Amino acid sequence: MDNINLLVIVSTISLFISLFLGVFLITVKTKNKLSNSLFALFLLITAIDISEPLFNTMVDGPSNLGMFRASFAFLQIPVFYLYVLSVCYSDFKLKLKYLLHLLPFLIANLVLLPRFYSVDVASKIHFIINRQSMIELQFNHVMIHVQMIVYAIAVFRVLRKSKKLYLENYAGKNINSYNWLLQFAILLAIVYLIALAKNIFKFSDYPHISEWIKSGLLVLGLFNICWYLFKALNNPGLFRNIDSSLKLVSEIVAEDKSNEQSIAGEREWQEDILRLKKYMIEEKPFLNPSLTIQDISGKMGIPVRDLSLLINHQIGQHFYDFVNTYRIEQAMNMLKDDTKSKVTILEILYEVGFNSKSSFNTAFKKHTGNTPTSYRKELKNSNL
């Protein structure tokens, strides 16, 4: 089997899996229809991008459709950026301003209009043969890599901010969605770096190296799509967490920086801290696995903004860590209780408000320096 046939098979499999996963994401029952639809669109664009070997077997020679297919690469990372926003922010909606993300795609096709799209087949062949000296292709390659860098920075900034907002305002919803998005973004960044190397060789004296890298990217693309399939099937609800109107505590503090706190203000903070700690101990709101800062704000009659400052700034803990401290203390008390010696650690973690074993183990070790299992064993040994 020659290299071309192998690449056709790889692109065919990738196309099939992408379409299968796209249909699954659109039809699966979930409240996150928009984010799933954007992910399906991302997969479709990716499939179009990596379908070149299959496309070339069906179309003989350069064509307008073939060049237009290649230009879909300009849509890939903007759609991924919108997908990240839709996953991170619960109030995300598509707006007319997002049409601006189409500009690179439109510009890339407009610059090709005079000397490729509007000429005969012979001129198209000449254009492709002499692609290394064609300013249009050089411009488009530079533009797509600038686009990748700009969007990559934007994606990582959104992830950084949304994770901080999550830690400052939520203590129950699963944070695994952010780990997935971070892995997703890093993987795409690696792919784009490899693509950059490919295009550098494409316009150098070693175009054959570019073809080798291109083949490697097609195979890597198949593995990536299989990974997407695995993640989607294991997380059919595909996430969604934060209200984008929330502000980081650092932003709130910066807004209030000019207002110096009086001694009376400090006393009020201390009183509120004591009141909050009393509420946490007596009412045990942390047992709610979906607890948010808004829930406590409503129960205590403290504005969300002030409560966020109280916990994240005055106490010096993220809301996520603050609540988990009480959960871990509750879990430690249960582990010490001889009457609960038959209760499994899995049962304990759910009872104290955690919703995953990994988050419980991480928080427990952070608080005690031990895993729950080791902690229970040490207690048993000390009682012998």
Side-chain angles (χ1 to χ4, degrees):
M1 184 182 295
D2 58 34
N3 186 51
I4 294 176
N5 288 336
L6 178 62
L7 294 180
V8 170
I9 292 172
V10 169
S11 63
T12 302
I13 294 172
S14 299
L15 185 62
F16 173 78
I17 296 175
S18 297
L19 293 175
F20 170 78
L21 180 52
V23 171
F24 167 77
L25 290 170
I26 292 173
T27 57
V28 69
K29 291 183 179 180
T30 174
K31 62 181 181 180
N32 304 329
K33 280 289 185 183
L34 180 55
S35 58
N36 280 12
S37 298
L38 286 170
F39 190 20
L41 179 59
F42 170 81
L43 287 169
L44 177 61
I45 294 170
T46 301
I48 292 171
D49 185 43
I50 63 178
S51 66
E52 182 182 1
L54 179 62
F55 182 86
N56 289 341
T57 62
M58 297 184 291
V59 179
D60 187 25
S63 65
N64 287 349
L65 183 60
M67 186 63 75
F68 186 68
R69 180 208 61 78
S71 70
F72 268 67
F74 283 95
L75 297 176
Q76 190 180 54
I77 195 165
V79 170
F80 174 66
Y81 172 71
L82 294 178
Y83 169 67
V84 170
L85 289 178
S86 72
V87 172
C88 290
Y89 299 119
S90 59
D91 55 343
F92 175 83
K93 292 179 181 178
L94 291 177
K95 301 175 183 176
L96 281 176
K97 67 178 183 179
Y98 292 142
L99 290 175
L100 292 173
H101 294 289
L102 291 172
L103 278 178
F105 171 75
L106 297 174
I107 293 170
N109 282 288
L110 282 173
V111 299
L112 291 168
L113 189 60
R115 294 208 294 172
F116 188 87
Y117 285 131
S118 60
V119 297
D120 57 23
V121 175
S123 298
K124 284 180 171 59
I125 294 172
H126 178 268
F127 186 92
I128 296 299
I129 292 174
N130 297 281
R131 59 181 175 272
Q132 286 183 313
S133 60
M134 293 298 170
I135 190 67
E136 295 93 338
L137 292 180
Q138 293 175 8
F139 172 79
N140 280 354
H141 278 82
V142 170
M143 184 169 65
I144 196 168
H145 290 299
V146 170
Q147 181 197 47
M148 288 174 182
I149 293 170
V150 171
Y151 276 95
I153 292 171
V155 164
F156 284 112
R157 287 189 67 181
V158 168
L159 290 177
R160 183 170 176 268
K161 180 178 180 180
S162 59
K163 186 172 183 179
K164 281 186 175 181
L165 283 170
Y166 175 86
L167 293 173
E168 290 179 2
N169 296 277
Y170 298 85
K173 296 181 181 178
N174 204 326
I175 203 168
N176 286 342
S177 57
Y178 296 100
N179 296 331
W180 143 257
L181 283 178
L182 184 60
Q183 292 168 8
F184 199 164
I186 291 172
L187 181 61
L188 277 185
I190 292 171
V191 170
Y192 290 147
L193 283 174
I194 297 173
L196 173 60
K198 172 185 76 73
N199 289 328
I200 290 172
F201 282 111
K202 185 176 182 178
F203 291 95
S204 71
D205 296 329
Y206 308 97
H208 60 285
I209 297 178
S210 175
E211 292 300 316
W212 293 345
I213 297 174
K214 184 177 179 180
S215 300
L217 282 173
L218 284 171
V219 176
L220 180 60
L222 175 58
F223 283 104
N224 288 350
I225 290 170
C226 290
W227 182 67
Y228 300 155
L229 177 62
F230 172 78
K231 287 289 188 179
L233 291 176
N234 278 280
N235 301 278
L238 280 179
F239 331 120
R240 187 176 283 198
N241 285 302
I242 294 170
D243 187 338
S244 64
S245 64
L246 291 172
K247 288 186 177 182
L248 291 169
V249 168
S250 57
E251 294 174 353
I252 298 173
V253 171
E255 289 174 1
D256 295 345
K257 200 172 182 181
S258 59
N259 300 323
E260 295 184 6
Q261 291 181 336
S262 63
I263 295 175
E266 287 292 342
R267 285 175 182 166
E268 286 179 8
W269 283 123
Q270 293 304 317
E271 289 173 2
D272 285 340
I273 289 172
L274 291 173
R275 182 182 163 209
L276 173 62
K277 290 181 176 180
K278 183 180 179 183
Y279 172 78
M280 295 296 290
I281 293 169
E282 293 180 354
E283 301 298 327
K284 293 182 169 51
F286 53 85
L287 298 180
N288 174 9
S290 299
L291 185 68
T292 69
I293 200 166
Q294 290 91 339
D295 295 330
I296 296 179
S297 168
K299 293 292 184 182
M300 294 188 66
I302 301 176
V304 173
R305 185 180 185 278
D306 293 345
L307 186 58
S308 182
L309 280 173
L310 184 69
I311 298 171
N312 294 288
H313 185 61
Q314 294 296 326
I315 294 177
Q317 279 185 297
H318 288 312
F319 179 73
Y320 182 83
D321 292 328
F322 173 76
V323 173
N324 281 347
T325 298
Y326 288 92
R327 288 173 175 165
I328 296 302
E329 290 290 342
Q330 182 79 0
M332 289 169 67
N333 291 334
M334 292 179 69
L335 289 169
K336 292 174 185 176
D337 190 345
D338 293 334
T339 63
K340 296 184 181 294
S341 59
K342 300 297 183 182
V343 180
T344 66
I345 289 174
L346 188 63
E347 290 172 322
I348 289 174
L349 76 88
Y350 286 123
E351 190 171 332
V352 300
F354 284 95
N355 51 22
S356 76
K357 189 175 180 180
S358 60
S359 59
F360 174 63
N361 287 340
T362 300
F364 197 96
K365 192 165 186 179
K366 182 177 180 180
H367 189 76
T368 66
N370 249 328
T371 63
T373 304
S374 299
Y375 183 80
R376 173 172 264 180
K377 284 180 180 178
E378 285 184 6
L379 288 173
K380 286 182 179 179
N381 292 334
S382 64
N383 292 330
L384 292 177

